[in-house]
Each structure stands twice: as C-alpha cells, then as structure tokens.
Amino acid sequence: MYQVANKKYEFKEVTFSDKIYGFPMASSKKIFTIGKYKVKNIVIINAKLAHPLISKKVSKEYQKLVATLMELLTSDDDTGESFREALNRIEKFRQEIKNKYRHFLKQKELEEMANQLKVFQHEANIRFIELQNAFYENTLQQGKGK
C-alpha cells in the first residue's frame, strides 16, 4: 500500500493559487511510523480518502455533543445557565463543522446533523425563554406584594 524511498531530495516550498483543503492525520505523538521511517504532518487532500476518517471523527464528536445536550437540557437548573451552555455548544459545533469539515462530508450527512441540532436548539431556546418569563413574573409579583 505504501512505498518509502530513501533518497535525498531538495525540498521546495510550493504555493498554490487555489485554496486546497486537507485533513491532517491525527496521532498521539504527531509522528507516524511507516516501516522504519518516521513521518510527520500527513495531510489528506483527496476527499474520497478523507471522508471515512472525517465522518468517523465528526460522528464521535456529535454523539458526545448529543449526550451532553441531553444532560444539560434535563438538568434542574433554575438560573438557565445549562440552557445557555447547550446553545453555546450547539453553535460551536455547527461552526466547527462548517469551517473545518464541510468540504469532506456529504450534503446528506450535514443536513441530518443540522436538522437534529435545530431541534435541540429550539428546545433549549423554548426552555430558556420560559425560565426567563417565570423569573420576570416572579420579580413582578414580589414588587407588587411589597
């Protein structure tokens, strides 16, 4: 599958006129061992090769996000901080996907995640607004009672 040639090359910096999007391969030490050689900074440019890796990574992050959102939305927080945190995490994930991975993911995958995130976002917004209204009504009743 791979071949490593032990030749001395002069490396030249190459610039491209078009933007090239690539997926940097992740490693715990950022060094890959191929045979007896150590390779750093592998970037996959081919979308067909990068799609399974990115899909797996995004899927893991998405599952973690969903678990966290379920926990935040079911918590009994009277201040509304958990709802704000849920909204912030949703927006952060959406921006990360949009900026880093949209070139490698299929449109169908992006739409499915976006639709589910919209449901969570809508639920968090509704609960946050209800909590704010209840707090506002409570402060009005306390003001009238004095």
Side-chain angles (χ1 to χ4, degrees):
M1 292 211 163
Y2 61 87
Q3 181 178 4
V4 177
N6 192 9
K7 296 180 183 179
K8 293 184 179 181
Y9 292 103
E10 290 183 24
F11 294 102
K12 297 179 184 177
E13 185 175 330
V14 179
T15 58
F16 297 97
S17 59
D18 297 332
K19 281 191 173 185
I20 294 179
Y21 300 99
F23 176 67
M25 290 286 293
S27 174
S28 61
K29 297 178 184 177
K30 302 272 184 187
I31 297 174
F32 295 91
T33 304
I34 300 176
K36 59 183 180 179
Y37 300 100
K38 298 192 184 288
V39 180
K40 294 182 182 179
N41 300 332
I42 295 176
V43 178
I44 299 175
I45 297 173
N46 187 338
K48 288 183 180 179
L49 294 175
H51 177 264
L53 299 171
I54 292 174
S55 180
K56 183 177 178 181
K57 180 177 181 172
V58 169
S59 176
K60 281 184 182 179
E61 289 180 22
Y62 181 72
Q63 294 303 324
K64 285 181 187 178
L65 176 68
V66 168
T68 306
L69 290 176
M70 293 301 290
E71 185 177 311
L72 288 171
L73 292 176
T74 58
S75 69
D76 293 334
D77 184 16
D78 291 340
T79 62
E81 187 64 34
S82 62
F83 302 128
R84 277 187 253 141
E85 178 69 24
L87 291 170
N88 288 340
R89 289 189 185 203
I90 290 170
E91 190 58 34
K92 180 181 175 189
F93 182 77
R94 289 180 63 213
Q95 290 298 321
E96 184 176 328
I97 296 301
K98 179 181 174 186
N99 294 332
K100 288 185 178 180
Y101 305 122
R102 76 167 170 216
H103 301 287
F104 300 104
L105 293 173
K106 295 179 181 173
Q107 188 66 28
K108 182 179 177 184
E109 292 172 328
L110 291 172
E111 288 174 359
E112 287 176 2
M113 283 190 289
N115 289 337
Q116 290 177 346
L117 287 176
K118 282 180 187 177
V119 170
F120 282 120
Q121 194 172 25
H122 183 67
E123 183 68 26
N125 274 329
I126 288 173
R127 290 188 182 186
F128 184 64
I129 290 170
E130 287 175 354
L131 189 63
Q132 283 182 332
N133 288 341
F135 178 74
Y136 181 69
E137 289 174 5
N138 191 14
T139 57
L140 284 178
Q141 288 178 357
Q142 287 178 355
K144 288 181 180 181
K146 288 184 178 182

